[in-house]
Amino acid sequence: MSIREDALAPVPDRARPGRTPVSAAQAFGISVFPLLGAGLALAGIPVREVLVLLAGCGAIGAAVYAVGGSGRRLLEAFAAAVNAALHK
């Protein structure tokens, strides 16, 4: 972030590589998946079916994100995840 004199708030510096803050929608999605899975498992649905259902929901979300962002952001996120996994 950088602060310009004429700005009312800090302005994100897009030229600098780095992580963007997590949005409310992302935080909500991250927190809902485990809660939904636990609720379905407690309701008596087999864990295997719960995992398949949530994986399908995640795949649909990733596809919508890819179409909406021309696929570039999804590929960047995937590349960052692979890079992070390789350098641990």
Side-chain angles (χ1 to χ4, degrees):
M1 294 267 191
S2 63
I3 299 177
R4 291 185 297 190
E5 290 182 22
D6 59 341
L8 298 175
V11 179
D13 186 6
R14 300 287 180 203
R16 256 186 337 157
R19 295 183 179 197
T20 58
V22 176
S23 71
Q26 291 169 327
F28 181 75
I30 291 169
S31 62
V32 165
F33 264 73
L35 295 174
L36 181 60
L40 291 172
L42 289 174
I45 298 175
V47 174
R48 177 173 281 167
E49 290 183 23
V50 170
L51 292 175
V52 169
L53 174 68
L54 294 179
C57 291
I60 291 169
V64 168
Y65 187 74
V67 169
S70 309
R72 180 177 176 207
R73 285 183 279 175
L74 184 63
L75 289 175
E76 287 175 354
F78 180 70
V82 169
N83 191 22
L86 292 174
H87 289 97
K88 278 196 170 190

